[in-house]
Amino acid sequence: MSIRCLLWDFGDTLCDEKFIWSSGPQWEHVYRLFDEGLGEAWNTGDMSDQEFAELIAEHISLTPPEILAHMQERCRHVEFYDFTYNFYLARHLPQAIVTVNPRIWTDVISPHYNFDQTADLIVTSWEEGTTDKATLCELAVDRLGIGCKRSESLLIDNISHNIGEWRLRGGGGYHFRGDDQFEKDVADGVDGLVG
C-alpha cells in the first residue's frame, strides 16, 4: 500500500488520554461518568465545557469553576508517548489530527502544543458534531488538499473498531498498541509506516 497521508488519533495514541484527570477516587469517578454517557454530548459539542463542569460538580466536592480550572491546567500537562510523539513531530508525510474531543482540546491543548504548526489539518468531533471516527477521517482526507485518496491514507489509532470502520470506507489503518510496539513496527516497515 502506498501511503501519502497520515491521520493521527490523539488520546491513547499520541498520549495517555487520562491526562485531564488527577489521580484519586474523585477523578476516577468523573472518568466513569464520562465513559457512561456524559462524554458523548461533550465530544459532539452539544455540551459546553462549563456545562460539563456543572454536571461533574454534582458528583464530587469541587465547584464548577474549580473543575474547569483543573481540566484546563491538566490540558497543559499532557504525557506524550516518547517515540510516537517524536515520530509525529518529524512530519514524514502530510498529516492530520483526527480526534474525538471536546472544545477544551481546541481552546487549550492545540495552542499550548502548537498542533496548528505540526499538523496540516485538525478535525475534531466537537466541531463536526459526530464522534464517528471514519466520518472524521473522510473529512480530513477531503480537506487535506493534496489529492490523497482514502486508499492512500493511514489512520493510526488505538481503537481497532475505528480502524475497521475506516478500512470499510477504503482507508488504511494501523492499530496502535503502545509506544514500544509502534517503534518496532516503524523499524520493520509495518503497514507502510515510514522508517
Side-chain angles (χ1 to χ4, degrees):
M1 172 170 51
S2 176
I3 301 300
R4 295 188 58 211
C5 62
L6 301 177
L7 309 177
W8 288 94
D9 173 52
F10 181 72
D12 278 350
T13 299
L14 287 175
C15 67
D16 181 342
E17 73 174 5
K18 293 183 178 65
F19 66 87
I20 200 168
W21 316 120
S22 291
S23 58
Q26 283 198 98
W27 292 105
E28 289 171 13
H29 180 68
V30 168
Y31 204 78
R32 281 196 302 275
L33 289 169
F34 179 87
D35 281 346
E36 291 167 5
L38 288 184
E40 181 72 17
W42 195 31
N43 282 331
T44 56
D46 293 329
M47 180 186 299
S48 70
D49 298 337
Q50 178 64 36
E51 290 169 326
F52 182 77
E54 288 168 2
L55 285 174
I56 294 302
E58 297 173 9
H59 302 278
I60 63 175
S61 58
L62 293 173
T63 66
E66 289 172 329
I67 292 168
L68 195 55
H70 170 79
M71 291 191 301
Q72 291 169 341
E73 177 61 19
R74 292 301 306 146
C75 284
R76 297 180 184 94
H77 293 89
V78 175
E79 295 180 11
F80 291 102
Y81 298 131
D82 287 339
F83 180 85
T84 307
Y85 186 56
N86 284 318
F87 182 92
Y88 162 83
L89 290 176
R91 297 182 68 142
H92 295 275
L93 293 167
Q95 61 187 9
I97 291 179
V98 182
T99 183
V100 174
N101 260 301
R103 182 174 185 143
I104 197 170
W105 193 95
T106 301
D107 290 348
V108 182
I109 294 172
S110 184
H112 187 74
Y113 292 101
N114 299 311
F115 278 120
D116 63 331
Q117 296 173 31
T118 59
D120 298 290
L121 178 72
I122 299 170
V123 178
T124 58
S125 61
W126 81 267
E127 291 178 286
E128 304 302 336
T130 180
T131 58
D132 183 82
K133 183 61 72 79
T135 298
L136 298 174
C137 287
E138 283 184 350
L139 294 171
V141 170
D142 290 346
R143 293 174 185 170
L144 269 171
I146 59 166
C148 180
K149 301 173 186 174
R150 291 181 193 178
S151 62
E152 298 171 321
S153 70
L154 185 73
L155 170 62
I156 301 171
D157 198 306
N158 68 297
I159 300 175
S160 59
H161 173 78
N162 292 342
I163 298 295
E165 291 298 305
W166 182 230
R167 284 180 173 155
L168 287 174
R169 298 193 195 189
Y174 170 83
H175 183 204
F176 182 83
R177 295 173 304 279
D179 201 43
D180 291 343
Q181 185 64 50
F182 185 69
E183 182 174 7
K184 180 182 182 304
D185 290 344
V186 166
D188 293 344
V190 171
D191 285 337
L193 294 171
V194 179

